[in-house]
């Protein structure tokens, strides 16, 4: 067996040598690889933070369990953390939203203006859609980027409710309503709206609309008269919005990051801090997204809320 | 331990695994104290697999060190567990065939049978050194890995047959088929669970 043992020892030595060679080869290529990758150590250098504002803006966000659509509460909380984080020198808000409820939109707007007051530049980067409440939020930022094809504008307020009186009459359905005041069942679907009610709602809409104009004027540092003519609910492409001074520049997401670094006087290579999303939630969120598409899911019939929202 | 390595008895086992399976059965019956040491082969297999995969692509330094520490530990544990499951399934199948199984020795044979799989690393190192475009060596390495797996299975089946003095067909049926059936069952259970989960989420949405 001695000869066989020698042969096997040589084979094992050959395997060991190949393992060493492989480690050397990996070490050589490792040195050539930049350090960015799937696993990296946390960065602590001053940099730019990214905040995503996706989907309809509501206070608590969409009900989907793993959706990345967050409510205004979560966004304000996140902005709060960034505001108090010493390494965050600028913020980029990536917007892809048709707008949403009034209070939720205004809360995000106020938070952004607070951050700006602390001399932290906030740059808005509009994606496909930044209309109505989406634009409201963007108008609070220090600088706005839009793509040529971004749908924006839709400055206005809307409230809607279905009128099902005809349907109720057809099927002999009636509602028993006991109310404490004449306007308590305003927007009831079971009857036609009265002129008084219409007037009352119009006054609410007008007041909210005025606030919208005031905030856009404040955020953009633009007199209301300069854009009132276009603030009739119409939408604009990114290029048109630039013409009407509703955005500052046509540019991409990476342009907005560059601008944020420039405004914060940061180095070009300074880090970009994205919102941490666990891979598990990312995976489940993507499944959820696919399933909702398969089911032909549509936005739920909204309750009668006053909204800054662009309705497609 | 160093003494045990110096005696070169392990070389006899490996030589017999590759060239004389009948003698391996005899060696295994004689050398019970050596049997637990065979776990070193699945552990080496785990290390060589990680090195092979890392050789095939440009590796990020931090990712490589994570692979070499946590990755190696987890993979080695997984491969060892897999060998234990394989040995248990083979013993169960043998007892169904009214053959008295020797589970510890089957486990040792399966561990030793990992040895041919180690050759995937020198093959890959050779392929990468002659052809630095990563996709071509990757394909060839995957092919050689499959071939080495078949060789490894062949050695295991032959050795189990000699150890229990049964036909090759019976040995094949006891060593490979239970694992294949279990694998298929697990696949269907996993697919079914996934479909139920999809259905549940779609109902929820």
């Amino acid at each position: 067996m001695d000869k066989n043992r020698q042969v096997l020892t040589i084979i094992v030595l050959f395997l060991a040598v190949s393992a060493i060679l492989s480690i050397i080869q990996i070490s050589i290529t490792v040195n050539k690889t930049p350090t960015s990758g799937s696993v990296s150590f946390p960065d602590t250098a001053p940099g730019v933070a990214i905040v995503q504002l996706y989907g309809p803006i509501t206070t608590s966000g969409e009900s989907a369990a793993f959706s990345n659509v967050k409510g205004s509460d979560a966004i304000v909380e996140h902005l709060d953390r960034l505001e108090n984080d010493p390494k965050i020198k600028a913020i980029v808000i990536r917007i892809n939203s048709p707008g949403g409820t009034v209070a939720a939109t205004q809360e995000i707007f106020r938070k952004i203006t607070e951050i700006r007051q602390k001399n932290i530049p906030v740059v808005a980067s509009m994606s496909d859609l930044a209309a109505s409440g989406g634009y409201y939020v963007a108008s609070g930022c220090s600088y706005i980027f839009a793509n040529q094809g971004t749908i924006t504008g839709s400055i206005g307020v809307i409230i809607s409710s279905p009128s099902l009186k005809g349907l109720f009459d057809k099927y002999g359905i009636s509602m028993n309503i006991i109310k404490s005041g004449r306007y308590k069942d305003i927007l009831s679907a079971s009857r036609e709206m009265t002129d008084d009610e219409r007037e009352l709602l119009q006054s609410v809409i007008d007041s909210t609309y005025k606030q919208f104009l005031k905030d856009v004027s404040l955020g953009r540092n633009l007199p209301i008269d300069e854009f009132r003519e276009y603030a009739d609910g119409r939408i604009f492409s990114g290029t048109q919005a630039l013409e009407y001074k509703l955005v500052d520049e046509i540019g991409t997401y990476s342009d907005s990051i560059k601008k944020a670094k420039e405004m914060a006087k940061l180095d070009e290579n300074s880090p970009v801090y994205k919102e941490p999303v666990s891979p598990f939630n990312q995976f489940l969120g993507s499944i959820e997204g696919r399933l909702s598409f398969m089911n032909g899911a549509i936005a739920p019939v909204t309750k009668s809320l006053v909204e800054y929202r662009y309705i497609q | 331990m160093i003494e045990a390595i110096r005696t070169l008895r392990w070389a006899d086992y490996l030589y017999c695994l590759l060239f004389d399976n009948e003698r391996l059965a005899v060696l295994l019956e004689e050398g019970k104290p050596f049997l637990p040491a065979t776990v070193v082969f699945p552990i080496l297999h785990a290390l060589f697999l990680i090195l092979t995969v890392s050789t095939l692509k440009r590796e990020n330094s931090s990712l490589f060190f994570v692979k070499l520490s946590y990755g190696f530990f987890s993979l080695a544990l997984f491969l060892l567990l897999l060998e234990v499951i394989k040995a248990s399934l083979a013993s169960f199948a043998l007892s169904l065939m009214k053959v008295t199984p020797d589970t510890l020795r089957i486990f040792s044979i399966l561990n030793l049978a990992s040895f041919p799989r180690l050759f995937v690393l020198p093959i890959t190192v050779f392929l990468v050194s002659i052809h630095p475009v990563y996709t071509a060596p990757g394909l060839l390495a995957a092919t050689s890995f499959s071939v080495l797996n078949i060789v490894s299975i062949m050695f295991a089946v032959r050795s189990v047959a000699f150890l229990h003095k049964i036909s090759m067909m019976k040995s094949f049926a006891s060593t490979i088929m239970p694992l294949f059936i279990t694998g298929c069952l697990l696949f269907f259970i996993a697919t079914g669970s996934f479909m139920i989960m999809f259905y549940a989420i779609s109902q929820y949405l």
Side-chain angles (χ1 to χ4, degrees):
Chain A
M1 274 270 194
D2 277 351
K3 198 181 168 191
N4 301 336
R5 282 176 172 182
Q6 278 172 9
V7 172
L8 253 297
T9 312
I10 290 165
I11 290 174
V12 170
L13 280 173
F14 166 70
L15 284 172
V17 168
S18 72
I20 292 164
L21 280 176
S22 137
I23 290 171
I24 293 169
Q25 188 158 4
I26 295 163
S27 309
I28 292 167
T29 51
V30 156
N31 291 337
K32 286 178 186 168
T33 316
T35 47
S36 63
S38 321
V39 177
S40 56
F41 295 105
D43 226 323
T44 50
V48 177
I50 308 291
V51 176
Q52 292 175 336
L53 179 64
Y54 290 170
I57 305 166
T58 57
T59 308
S60 54
E62 282 192 345
S63 60
F66 305 102
S67 166
N68 66 346
V69 178
K70 295 184 292 292
S72 65
D73 282 353
I75 289 171
V76 169
E77 209 176 291
H78 187 204
L79 286 170
D80 216 28
R81 274 199 303 274
L82 297 176
E83 184 187 0
N84 297 313
D85 189 336
K87 68 173 184 283
I88 302 303
K89 301 295 177 199
I91 297 170
V92 170
I93 302 194
R94 178 72 166 159
I95 303 170
N96 191 13
S97 169
T101 58
V102 173
T105 308
Q106 287 175 343
E107 283 191 14
I108 300 173
F109 177 87
R110 295 275 169 268
K111 188 73 227 171
I112 292 170
T113 46
E114 262 176 51
I115 293 173
R116 276 180 68 185
Q117 276 160 14
K118 284 194 169 179
N119 285 330
I120 299 172
V122 185
V123 176
S125 163
M126 293 176 169
S127 175
D128 299 321
L129 186 66
S132 200
Y135 180 72
Y136 197 139
V137 170
S139 70
C141 298
S142 328
Y143 204 85
I144 306 178
F145 274 94
N147 291 290
Q148 284 98 336
T150 298
I151 298 293
T152 185
S154 186
I155 299 171
V157 193
I158 189 169
I159 186 166
S160 61
S161 77
S163 174
L164 306 175
K165 190 177 178 299
L167 190 73
F168 276 37
D169 288 347
K170 190 176 176 186
Y171 290 100
I173 303 166
S174 61
M175 299 282 285
N176 295 319
I177 296 166
I178 296 110
K179 55 186 180 178
S180 57
R182 56 197 282 224
Y183 295 117
K184 196 60 195 162
D185 67 338
I186 201 166
L187 290 171
S188 168
S190 61
R191 62 175 177 81
E192 295 293 348
M193 189 182 284
T194 66
D195 289 343
D196 280 0
E197 285 172 341
R198 198 173 287 278
E199 209 174 298
L200 181 79
L201 285 172
Q202 190 61 52
S203 70
V204 173
I205 295 288
D206 289 345
S207 146
T208 321
Y209 174 64
K210 271 181 200 159
Q211 188 60 47
F212 196 159
L213 295 182
K214 227 165 106 181
D215 282 342
V216 170
S217 164
L218 182 82
R220 300 287 303 146
N221 198 17
L222 200 68
I224 294 179
D225 290 340
E226 273 199 34
F227 65 92
R228 191 196 288 273
E229 193 189 338
Y230 317 113
D232 53 2
R234 73 179 75 175
I235 55 163
F236 309 105
S237 68
T239 319
Q240 287 173 316
L242 181 67
E243 251 174 65
Y244 301 138
K245 297 179 187 166
L246 293 175
V247 302
D248 294 297
E249 201 176 330
I250 297 293
T252 59
Y253 177 48
S254 45
D255 291 333
S256 60
I257 294 173
K258 264 186 219 161
K259 183 72 187 177
K261 285 181 181 175
E262 186 191 310
M263 288 171 86
K265 296 185 177 69
L266 287 170
D267 184 68
E268 225 174 72
N269 299 319
S270 49
V272 175
Y273 297 98
K274 291 183 180 168
E275 288 179 70
V277 181
S278 81
F280 182 68
N281 268 13
Q282 216 167 18
F283 170 69
L284 289 174
S286 70
I287 291 176
E288 207 169 49
R290 276 167 211 282
L291 284 173
S292 61
F293 173 72
M294 275 155 56
N295 285 346
I298 52 166
V301 177
T302 50
K303 290 173 190 160
S304 303
L305 288 170
V306 183
E307 291 184 305
Y308 294 132
R309 185 158 176 164
Y310 163 59
I311 299 174
Q312 283 170 301
Chain B
M1 191 184 164
I2 294 166
E3 273 307 305
I5 294 170
R6 273 188 188 159
T7 57
L8 292 182
R9 272 205 74 187
W10 52 270
D12 296 342
Y13 282 90
L14 292 180
Y15 179 83
C16 293
L17 174 85
L18 299 178
F19 305 109
D20 192 352
N21 296 143
E22 203 169 352
R23 172 123 182 88
L24 178 68
V26 179
L27 279 177
L28 283 171
E29 273 173 2
E30 288 169 356
K32 198 167 180 178
F34 177 73
L35 302 185
T38 55
V39 295
V40 79
F41 293 103
I43 293 169
L44 276 176
H45 183 207
L47 177 70
F48 275 47
L49 268 181
I50 287 170
L51 289 177
T52 305
V53 173
S54 297
T55 309
L56 278 170
K57 65 190 192 77
R58 276 183 191 278
E59 197 72 275
N60 176 283
S61 55
S62 50
L63 180 62
F64 178 61
F65 294 126
V66 169
K67 270 186 184 176
L68 217 53
S69 49
Y70 299 110
F72 166 62
F73 183 71
S74 319
L75 187 62
L77 266 184
F78 172 75
L79 290 178
L80 272 173
L81 186 71
L82 199 65
E83 299 304 347
V84 172
I85 293 169
K86 277 189 210 169
S88 312
L89 284 172
S91 300
F92 176 68
L94 281 171
S95 55
L96 285 182
M97 291 173 194
K98 298 198 168 56
V99 178
T100 314
D102 190 339
T103 313
L104 180 65
R105 288 188 173 83
I106 294 172
F107 177 61
S108 306
I109 287 172
L110 292 173
N111 285 342
L112 282 168
S114 296
F115 179 67
R117 293 185 184 126
L118 304 184
F119 286 89
V120 73
L121 181 64
I123 293 171
T124 307
V125 170
F126 173 70
L127 289 171
V128 170
S129 60
I130 60 163
H131 201 303
V133 177
Y134 287 96
T135 42
L139 284 172
L140 290 170
T143 312
S144 60
F145 184 67
S146 308
V147 172
L148 289 169
N149 258 327
I150 293 167
V151 170
S152 165
I153 290 166
M154 205 178 74
F155 287 144
V157 169
R158 278 174 61 89
S159 305
V160 169
F162 285 121
L163 183 71
H164 292 90
K165 297 178 179 65
I166 52 174
S167 68
M168 289 297 162
M169 275 311 288
K170 261 191 174 179
S171 174
F172 181 80
S174 62
T175 318
I176 303 305
M177 288 316 283
L179 192 72
F180 180 73
I181 293 165
T182 315
C184 287
L185 274 176
L186 282 176
F187 173 76
F188 288 123
I189 290 168
T191 313
S193 314
F194 220 71
M195 284 168 77
I196 290 167
M197 198 178 85
F198 257 67
Y199 177 74
I201 295 176
S202 67
Q203 290 299 304
Y204 169 75
L205 285 171

